[in-house]
Amino acid sequence: MSNKYGESVCVAGVRTDTETPEFIRLFPVGYRDLPSSSQFKKYQHVSLRAKKGSTDRRPESWQPDLGSLVLGDTIDTSRKWRERWELLRDLAGEGTTCEIRSRAAAVGQNSKSLALIKPADISGVSISENPDFDERTAAAAQASAAPDLFETEKEVLKAAPYKLRYDYRCQHRSCKGHSQSLIDWEVGVAGLKWRDGKAGDVRSQLERKFYEEMCSREKDVHFFIGNQHQNPGSFMVLGVFWPPVGSRPEDSLF
C-alpha cells in the first residue's frame, strides 16, 4: 500500500524495444484496479507508454501510462524454456549478488537495481509465519468495506501467511553467503491456498515447492533480485528462474 498511490505494486520485466534486452521496473501499477482484460500474466508481452519518474532515480524505474496498456502473447508452459532463455540469456549471470549489492550500497540509486544472478549453491529456504498476517488482513477488510468512487467492490486483500528466505552463496569468490526474502506473489497465493485447504503441513509443502522442486540439481536455477527504493543496498529475491539443466540454447546441440 502507498499513501500516494493506494494499492499499487512494482512490476519488474524485460524491455524488448531496445537493441539488447534490458530490465525495467514499472511503478505504480494498481493491478487489481485494471479491467480483467488488462490483467497481464507472468512472461506475457505487453506494450505501453512510460516516462521516467521524478523521485526514483534507479535506472530501470519508469512510471507507466496504464491507459496505453496493450497485452500480447504469453510464453506459456508449452514452449516456455527455450523462448524464455532467448529473452533472458544476455541478462543471466551479469554480475554477482556481492558485486551488485556492494556497488548499490556505495553509489545509491544510480546503480543497477535489478539482476538475474546464478547462485553457486543454495543451502536451504527458511520459512516463518508472517506476524502481520491477521492484522493486515483485518485492516484490508475494513478498508475495502466501503466501495470506491465507482462503487465497485474488490475481494479483501489477504496478506501472505508465511515468509520465505533463500540462504545461498553467489558466484563471487569471497562470498560469505546471503539470506534474502522471496517476495514473489506466488508464495502468498500458495500459502493461502494450502492453508485454507487444510491439505497437510503447509510449511512442508512450501519447502517442497520452492526449494526441493524449484532449486533441485536438475534445475539451472537463477534468482531475479531487486533492491528497495529507500535502501538501495538491500536486495530481495523477486522470483526464481528454474529451467532444466542443459536447456539454455547455446548448451544444446540442436
PDB file of all heavy atoms in Angstrom, residues 119 121-127 164-169 178-182 206-208 210-212 215 223 237:
ATOM      1  N   PRO A 119      23.156 -18.513  -8.455  1.00  0.00           N
ATOM      2  CA  PRO A 119      23.740 -18.921  -7.176  1.00  0.00           C
ATOM      3  C   PRO A 119      24.793 -20.007  -7.375  1.00  0.00           C
ATOM      4  O   PRO A 119      24.664 -20.861  -8.251  1.00  0.00           O
ATOM      5  CB  PRO A 119      22.539 -19.477  -6.391  1.00  0.00           C
ATOM      6  CG  PRO A 119      21.323 -18.982  -7.109  1.00  0.00           C
ATOM      7  CD  PRO A 119      21.724 -18.849  -8.536  1.00  0.00           C
ATOM      8  N   ASP A 121      25.570 -22.046  -4.786  1.00  0.00           N
ATOM      9  CA  ASP A 121      24.854 -23.130  -4.111  1.00  0.00           C
ATOM     10  C   ASP A 121      23.762 -22.539  -3.242  1.00  0.00           C
ATOM     11  O   ASP A 121      23.848 -21.388  -2.788  1.00  0.00           O
ATOM     12  CB  ASP A 121      25.797 -23.994  -3.258  1.00  0.00           C
ATOM     13  CG  ASP A 121      26.476 -23.204  -2.139  1.00  0.00           C
ATOM     14  OD1 ASP A 121      25.791 -22.874  -1.156  1.00  0.00           O
ATOM     15  OD2 ASP A 121      27.681 -22.918  -2.261  1.00  0.00           O
ATOM     16  N   ILE A 122      22.710 -23.298  -3.039  1.00  0.00           N
ATOM     17  CA  ILE A 122      21.558 -22.875  -2.230  1.00  0.00           C
ATOM     18  C   ILE A 122      21.452 -23.844  -1.064  1.00  0.00           C
ATOM     19  O   ILE A 122      21.198 -25.038  -1.256  1.00  0.00           O
ATOM     20  CB  ILE A 122      20.264 -22.879  -3.053  1.00  0.00           C
ATOM     21  CG1 ILE A 122      20.443 -22.042  -4.328  1.00  0.00           C
ATOM     22  CG2 ILE A 122      19.091 -22.342  -2.228  1.00  0.00           C
ATOM     23  CD1 ILE A 122      19.324 -22.202  -5.331  1.00  0.00           C
ATOM     24  N   SER A 123      21.676 -23.348   0.145  1.00  0.00           N
ATOM     25  CA  SER A 123      21.710 -24.238   1.310  1.00  0.00           C
ATOM     26  C   SER A 123      20.332 -24.554   1.869  1.00  0.00           C
ATOM     27  O   SER A 123      20.154 -25.539   2.576  1.00  0.00           O
ATOM     28  CB  SER A 123      22.585 -23.635   2.411  1.00  0.00           C
ATOM     29  OG  SER A 123      22.126 -22.344   2.768  1.00  0.00           O
ATOM     30  N   GLY A 124      19.355 -23.728   1.561  1.00  0.00           N
ATOM     31  CA  GLY A 124      18.013 -24.019   2.049  1.00  0.00           C
ATOM     32  C   GLY A 124      17.085 -22.835   1.944  1.00  0.00           C
ATOM     33  O   GLY A 124      17.464 -21.754   1.477  1.00  0.00           O
ATOM     34  N   VAL A 125      15.857 -23.040   2.374  1.00  0.00           N
ATOM     35  CA  VAL A 125      14.863 -21.973   2.437  1.00  0.00           C
ATOM     36  C   VAL A 125      14.330 -21.917   3.862  1.00  0.00           C
ATOM     37  O   VAL A 125      14.014 -22.947   4.461  1.00  0.00           O
ATOM     38  CB  VAL A 125      13.714 -22.199   1.424  1.00  0.00           C
ATOM     39  CG1 VAL A 125      12.967 -23.486   1.702  1.00  0.00           C
ATOM     40  CG2 VAL A 125      12.755 -21.011   1.424  1.00  0.00           C
ATOM     41  N   SER A 126      14.294 -20.722   4.429  1.00  0.00           N
ATOM     42  CA  SER A 126      13.767 -20.521   5.779  1.00  0.00           C
ATOM     43  C   SER A 126      12.318 -20.069   5.672  1.00  0.00           C
ATOM     44  O   SER A 126      12.008 -19.132   4.925  1.00  0.00           O
ATOM     45  CB  SER A 126      14.599 -19.466   6.522  1.00  0.00           C
ATOM     46  OG  SER A 126      15.964 -19.822   6.562  1.00  0.00           O
ATOM     47  N   ILE A 127      11.447 -20.719   6.414  1.00  0.00           N
ATOM     48  CA  ILE A 127      10.013 -20.424   6.361  1.00  0.00           C
ATOM     49  C   ILE A 127       9.558 -20.005   7.746  1.00  0.00           C
ATOM     50  O   ILE A 127       9.800 -20.707   8.732  1.00  0.00           O
ATOM     51  CB  ILE A 127       9.219 -21.647   5.875  1.00  0.00           C
ATOM     52  CG1 ILE A 127       9.725 -22.102   4.504  1.00  0.00           C
ATOM     53  CG2 ILE A 127       7.721 -21.332   5.820  1.00  0.00           C
ATOM     54  CD1 ILE A 127       9.117 -23.405   4.034  1.00  0.00           C
ATOM     55  N   LEU A 164       9.243 -16.421   3.229  1.00  0.00           N
ATOM     56  CA  LEU A 164      10.314 -17.328   2.811  1.00  0.00           C
ATOM     57  C   LEU A 164      11.587 -16.540   2.571  1.00  0.00           C
ATOM     58  O   LEU A 164      11.550 -15.426   2.041  1.00  0.00           O
ATOM     59  CB  LEU A 164       9.933 -18.068   1.528  1.00  0.00           C
ATOM     60  CG  LEU A 164       9.106 -19.364   1.668  1.00  0.00           C
ATOM     61  CD1 LEU A 164       7.723 -19.081   2.227  1.00  0.00           C
ATOM     62  CD2 LEU A 164       8.995 -20.067   0.323  1.00  0.00           C
ATOM     63  N   ARG A 165      12.710 -17.144   2.955  1.00  0.00           N
ATOM     64  CA  ARG A 165      14.027 -16.562   2.706  1.00  0.00           C
ATOM     65  C   ARG A 165      14.935 -17.637   2.121  1.00  0.00           C
ATOM     66  O   ARG A 165      14.976 -18.761   2.629  1.00  0.00           O
ATOM     67  CB  ARG A 165      14.663 -16.023   3.991  1.00  0.00           C
ATOM     68  CG  ARG A 165      13.902 -14.933   4.683  1.00  0.00           C
ATOM     69  CD  ARG A 165      14.660 -14.429   5.906  1.00  0.00           C
ATOM     70  NE  ARG A 165      15.857 -13.682   5.536  1.00  0.00           N
ATOM     71  CZ  ARG A 165      15.857 -12.378   5.296  1.00  0.00           C
ATOM     72  NH1 ARG A 165      14.748 -11.673   5.400  1.00  0.00           N
ATOM     73  NH2 ARG A 165      16.980 -11.767   4.967  1.00  0.00           N
ATOM     74  N   TYR A 166      15.647 -17.281   1.064  1.00  0.00           N
ATOM     75  CA  TYR A 166      16.636 -18.196   0.496  1.00  0.00           C
ATOM     76  C   TYR A 166      17.999 -17.918   1.135  1.00  0.00           C
ATOM     77  O   TYR A 166      18.427 -16.760   1.261  1.00  0.00           O
ATOM     78  CB  TYR A 166      16.744 -18.017  -1.013  1.00  0.00           C
ATOM     79  CG  TYR A 166      15.675 -18.729  -1.798  1.00  0.00           C
ATOM     80  CD1 TYR A 166      14.806 -18.023  -2.627  1.00  0.00           C
ATOM     81  CD2 TYR A 166      15.533 -20.111  -1.730  1.00  0.00           C
ATOM     82  CE1 TYR A 166      13.824 -18.677  -3.365  1.00  0.00           C
ATOM     83  CE2 TYR A 166      14.548 -20.779  -2.455  1.00  0.00           C
ATOM     84  CZ  TYR A 166      13.705 -20.050  -3.268  1.00  0.00           C
ATOM     85  OH  TYR A 166      12.744 -20.710  -3.986  1.00  0.00           O
ATOM     86  N   ASP A 167      18.667 -18.982   1.528  1.00  0.00           N
ATOM     87  CA  ASP A 167      20.034 -18.902   2.039  1.00  0.00           C
ATOM     88  C   ASP A 167      20.950 -19.479   0.964  1.00  0.00           C
ATOM     89  O   ASP A 167      20.833 -20.658   0.615  1.00  0.00           O
ATOM     90  CB  ASP A 167      20.169 -19.684   3.346  1.00  0.00           C
ATOM     91  CG  ASP A 167      19.206 -19.173   4.417  1.00  0.00           C
ATOM     92  OD1 ASP A 167      19.208 -17.955   4.667  1.00  0.00           O
ATOM     93  OD2 ASP A 167      18.456 -19.985   4.986  1.00  0.00           O
ATOM     94  N   TYR A 168      21.850 -18.667   0.435  1.00  0.00           N
ATOM     95  CA  TYR A 168      22.669 -19.114  -0.686  1.00  0.00           C
ATOM     96  C   TYR A 168      23.987 -18.345  -0.752  1.00  0.00           C
ATOM     97  O   TYR A 168      24.153 -17.309  -0.102  1.00  0.00           O
ATOM     98  CB  TYR A 168      21.913 -18.939  -2.006  1.00  0.00           C
ATOM     99  CG  TYR A 168      21.733 -17.498  -2.459  1.00  0.00           C
ATOM    100  CD1 TYR A 168      22.616 -16.928  -3.389  1.00  0.00           C
ATOM    101  CD2 TYR A 168      20.697 -16.712  -1.982  1.00  0.00           C
ATOM    102  CE1 TYR A 168      22.458 -15.616  -3.820  1.00  0.00           C
ATOM    103  CE2 TYR A 168      20.532 -15.399  -2.401  1.00  0.00           C
ATOM    104  CZ  TYR A 168      21.415 -14.851  -3.318  1.00  0.00           C
ATOM    105  OH  TYR A 168      21.261 -13.546  -3.730  1.00  0.00           O
ATOM    106  N   ARG A 169      24.900 -18.862  -1.537  1.00  0.00           N
ATOM    107  CA  ARG A 169      26.128 -18.157  -1.885  1.00  0.00           C
ATOM    108  C   ARG A 169      26.086 -17.829  -3.370  1.00  0.00           C
ATOM    109  O   ARG A 169      25.657 -18.658  -4.181  1.00  0.00           O
ATOM    110  CB  ARG A 169      27.364 -19.014  -1.586  1.00  0.00           C
ATOM    111  CG  ARG A 169      27.682 -19.202  -0.115  1.00  0.00           C
ATOM    112  CD  ARG A 169      29.047 -19.865   0.099  1.00  0.00           C
ATOM    113  NE  ARG A 169      29.213 -21.061  -0.714  1.00  0.00           N
ATOM    114  CZ  ARG A 169      30.023 -21.136  -1.763  1.00  0.00           C
ATOM    115  NH1 ARG A 169      30.740 -20.083  -2.147  1.00  0.00           N
ATOM    116  NH2 ARG A 169      30.129 -22.265  -2.451  1.00  0.00           N
ATOM    117  N   HIS A 178      24.315 -15.207   1.503  1.00  0.00           N
ATOM    118  CA  HIS A 178      23.223 -14.238   1.512  1.00  0.00           C
ATOM    119  C   HIS A 178      21.966 -14.911   2.069  1.00  0.00           C
ATOM    120  O   HIS A 178      21.763 -16.111   1.880  1.00  0.00           O
ATOM    121  CB  HIS A 178      22.927 -13.733   0.093  1.00  0.00           C
ATOM    122  CG  HIS A 178      24.117 -13.165  -0.606  1.00  0.00           C
ATOM    123  ND1 HIS A 178      24.576 -11.882  -0.391  1.00  0.00           N
ATOM    124  CD2 HIS A 178      24.963 -13.714  -1.529  1.00  0.00           C
ATOM    125  CE1 HIS A 178      25.644 -11.662  -1.154  1.00  0.00           C
ATOM    126  NE2 HIS A 178      25.891 -12.759  -1.850  1.00  0.00           N
ATOM    127  N   SER A 179      21.159 -14.140   2.741  1.00  0.00           N
ATOM    128  CA  SER A 179      19.849 -14.604   3.192  1.00  0.00           C
ATOM    129  C   SER A 179      18.853 -13.534   2.773  1.00  0.00           C
ATOM    130  O   SER A 179      18.811 -12.448   3.366  1.00  0.00           O
ATOM    131  CB  SER A 179      19.820 -14.798   4.708  1.00  0.00           C
ATOM    132  OG  SER A 179      18.557 -15.281   5.136  1.00  0.00           O
ATOM    133  N   GLN A 180      18.057 -13.841   1.733  1.00  0.00           N
ATOM    134  CA  GLN A 180      17.192 -12.824   1.135  1.00  0.00           C
ATOM    135  C   GLN A 180      15.753 -13.314   1.037  1.00  0.00           C
ATOM    136  O   GLN A 180      15.497 -14.473   0.682  1.00  0.00           O
ATOM    137  CB  GLN A 180      17.709 -12.453  -0.259  1.00  0.00           C
ATOM    138  CG  GLN A 180      19.065 -11.765  -0.230  1.00  0.00           C
ATOM    139  CD  GLN A 180      19.609 -11.467  -1.619  1.00  0.00           C
ATOM    140  OE1 GLN A 180      19.268 -12.138  -2.586  1.00  0.00           O
ATOM    141  NE2 GLN A 180      20.465 -10.458  -1.715  1.00  0.00           N
ATOM    142  N   SER A 181      14.831 -12.425   1.345  1.00  0.00           N
ATOM    143  CA  SER A 181      13.406 -12.744   1.285  1.00  0.00           C
ATOM    144  C   SER A 181      12.978 -13.003  -0.144  1.00  0.00           C
ATOM    145  O   SER A 181      13.418 -12.314  -1.071  1.00  0.00           O
ATOM    146  CB  SER A 181      12.567 -11.597   1.860  1.00  0.00           C
ATOM    147  OG  SER A 181      12.857 -11.379   3.218  1.00  0.00           O
ATOM    148  N   LEU A 182      12.107 -13.989  -0.319  1.00  0.00           N
ATOM    149  CA  LEU A 182      11.464 -14.238  -1.609  1.00  0.00           C
ATOM    150  C   LEU A 182      10.106 -13.555  -1.574  1.00  0.00           C
ATOM    151  O   LEU A 182       9.238 -13.925  -0.772  1.00  0.00           O
ATOM    152  CB  LEU A 182      11.298 -15.745  -1.843  1.00  0.00           C
ATOM    153  CG  LEU A 182      10.479 -16.155  -3.072  1.00  0.00           C
ATOM    154  CD1 LEU A 182      11.157 -15.692  -4.356  1.00  0.00           C
ATOM    155  CD2 LEU A 182      10.266 -17.666  -3.101  1.00  0.00           C
ATOM    156  N   LEU A 206       5.445 -25.788   1.123  1.00  0.00           N
ATOM    157  CA  LEU A 206       6.186 -24.642   0.610  1.00  0.00           C
ATOM    158  C   LEU A 206       7.653 -25.003   0.373  1.00  0.00           C
ATOM    159  O   LEU A 206       8.239 -24.640  -0.643  1.00  0.00           O
ATOM    160  CB  LEU A 206       6.086 -23.471   1.596  1.00  0.00           C
ATOM    161  CG  LEU A 206       4.721 -22.783   1.694  1.00  0.00           C
ATOM    162  CD1 LEU A 206       4.699 -21.817   2.873  1.00  0.00           C
ATOM    163  CD2 LEU A 206       4.386 -22.036   0.405  1.00  0.00           C
ATOM    164  N   GLU A 207       8.244 -25.740   1.313  1.00  0.00           N
ATOM    165  CA  GLU A 207       9.638 -26.147   1.150  1.00  0.00           C
ATOM    166  C   GLU A 207       9.792 -27.090  -0.044  1.00  0.00           C
ATOM    167  O   GLU A 207      10.758 -26.984  -0.811  1.00  0.00           O
ATOM    168  CB  GLU A 207      10.148 -26.827   2.414  1.00  0.00           C
ATOM    169  CG  GLU A 207      11.604 -27.245   2.322  1.00  0.00           C
ATOM    170  CD  GLU A 207      12.141 -27.793   3.631  1.00  0.00           C
ATOM    171  OE1 GLU A 207      11.349 -28.008   4.575  1.00  0.00           O
ATOM    172  OE2 GLU A 207      13.367 -28.013   3.712  1.00  0.00           O
ATOM    173  N   ARG A 208       8.841 -27.985  -0.194  1.00  0.00           N
ATOM    174  CA  ARG A 208       8.906 -28.943  -1.298  1.00  0.00           C
ATOM    175  C   ARG A 208       8.826 -28.219  -2.640  1.00  0.00           C
ATOM    176  O   ARG A 208       9.554 -28.554  -3.581  1.00  0.00           O
ATOM    177  CB  ARG A 208       7.773 -29.960  -1.158  1.00  0.00           C
ATOM    178  CG  ARG A 208       7.821 -31.107  -2.157  1.00  0.00           C
ATOM    179  CD  ARG A 208       7.047 -32.314  -1.669  1.00  0.00           C
ATOM    180  NE  ARG A 208       5.703 -31.990  -1.224  1.00  0.00           N
ATOM    181  CZ  ARG A 208       5.290 -32.073   0.046  1.00  0.00           C
ATOM    182  NH1 ARG A 208       6.122 -32.475   1.002  1.00  0.00           N
ATOM    183  NH2 ARG A 208       4.053 -31.770   0.372  1.00  0.00           N
ATOM    184  N   PHE A 210       9.224 -24.659  -3.325  1.00  0.00           N
ATOM    185  CA  PHE A 210      10.149 -23.561  -3.588  1.00  0.00           C
ATOM    186  C   PHE A 210      11.618 -23.904  -3.343  1.00  0.00           C
ATOM    187  O   PHE A 210      12.490 -23.104  -3.683  1.00  0.00           O
ATOM    188  CB  PHE A 210       9.742 -22.337  -2.763  1.00  0.00           C
ATOM    189  CG  PHE A 210       8.459 -21.708  -3.230  1.00  0.00           C
ATOM    190  CD1 PHE A 210       7.246 -22.034  -2.640  1.00  0.00           C
ATOM    191  CD2 PHE A 210       8.453 -20.813  -4.290  1.00  0.00           C
ATOM    192  CE1 PHE A 210       6.059 -21.475  -3.085  1.00  0.00           C
ATOM    193  CE2 PHE A 210       7.274 -20.246  -4.741  1.00  0.00           C
ATOM    194  CZ  PHE A 210       6.071 -20.584  -4.143  1.00  0.00           C
ATOM    195  N   TYR A 211      11.891 -25.077  -2.769  1.00  0.00           N
ATOM    196  CA  TYR A 211      13.273 -25.490  -2.588  1.00  0.00           C
ATOM    197  C   TYR A 211      13.558 -26.830  -3.258  1.00  0.00           C
ATOM    198  O   TYR A 211      14.352 -26.907  -4.196  1.00  0.00           O
ATOM    199  CB  TYR A 211      13.618 -25.563  -1.097  1.00  0.00           C
ATOM    200  CG  TYR A 211      15.030 -26.011  -0.834  1.00  0.00           C
ATOM    201  CD1 TYR A 211      16.119 -25.311  -1.353  1.00  0.00           C
ATOM    202  CD2 TYR A 211      15.286 -27.141  -0.071  1.00  0.00           C
ATOM    203  CE1 TYR A 211      17.424 -25.719  -1.119  1.00  0.00           C
ATOM    204  CE2 TYR A 211      16.587 -27.573   0.178  1.00  0.00           C
ATOM    205  CZ  TYR A 211      17.649 -26.856  -0.348  1.00  0.00           C
ATOM    206  OH  TYR A 211      18.940 -27.274  -0.123  1.00  0.00           O
ATOM    207  N   GLU A 212      12.870 -27.869  -2.843  1.00  0.00           N
ATOM    208  CA  GLU A 212      13.180 -29.201  -3.359  1.00  0.00           C
ATOM    209  C   GLU A 212      12.899 -29.323  -4.856  1.00  0.00           C
ATOM    210  O   GLU A 212      13.663 -29.957  -5.589  1.00  0.00           O
ATOM    211  CB  GLU A 212      12.400 -30.257  -2.580  1.00  0.00           C
ATOM    212  CG  GLU A 212      12.796 -30.355  -1.116  1.00  0.00           C
ATOM    213  CD  GLU A 212      11.947 -31.348  -0.346  1.00  0.00           C
ATOM    214  OE1 GLU A 212      11.167 -32.106  -0.981  1.00  0.00           O
ATOM    215  OE2 GLU A 212      12.049 -31.370   0.887  1.00  0.00           O
ATOM    216  N   CYS A 215      14.627 -25.665  -6.825  1.00  0.00           N
ATOM    217  CA  CYS A 215      16.071 -25.496  -6.652  1.00  0.00           C
ATOM    218  C   CYS A 215      16.814 -26.828  -6.671  1.00  0.00           C
ATOM    219  O   CYS A 215      17.912 -26.938  -6.116  1.00  0.00           O
ATOM    220  CB  CYS A 215      16.369 -24.760  -5.350  1.00  0.00           C
ATOM    221  SG  CYS A 215      15.636 -23.116  -5.237  1.00  0.00           S
ATOM    222  N   PHE A 223      18.223 -16.476  -9.744  1.00  0.00           N
ATOM    223  CA  PHE A 223      17.340 -15.630  -8.948  1.00  0.00           C
ATOM    224  C   PHE A 223      17.226 -14.244  -9.597  1.00  0.00           C
ATOM    225  O   PHE A 223      18.244 -13.623  -9.924  1.00  0.00           O
ATOM    226  CB  PHE A 223      17.878 -15.443  -7.527  1.00  0.00           C
ATOM    227  CG  PHE A 223      17.785 -16.654  -6.644  1.00  0.00           C
ATOM    228  CD1 PHE A 223      18.630 -16.783  -5.538  1.00  0.00           C
ATOM    229  CD2 PHE A 223      16.854 -17.656  -6.886  1.00  0.00           C
ATOM    230  CE1 PHE A 223      18.547 -17.886  -4.713  1.00  0.00           C
ATOM    231  CE2 PHE A 223      16.767 -18.771  -6.065  1.00  0.00           C
ATOM    232  CZ  PHE A 223      17.623 -18.889  -4.973  1.00  0.00           C
ATOM    233  N   VAL A 237      14.904 -11.404  -3.281  1.00  0.00           N
ATOM    234  CA  VAL A 237      14.665 -12.287  -4.426  1.00  0.00           C
ATOM    235  C   VAL A 237      13.248 -12.016  -4.915  1.00  0.00           C
ATOM    236  O   VAL A 237      12.273 -12.241  -4.182  1.00  0.00           O
ATOM    237  CB  VAL A 237      14.835 -13.771  -4.050  1.00  0.00           C
ATOM    238  CG1 VAL A 237      14.527 -14.664  -5.260  1.00  0.00           C
ATOM    239  CG2 VAL A 237      16.254 -14.041  -3.553  1.00  0.00           C
TER     240      VAL A 237
END
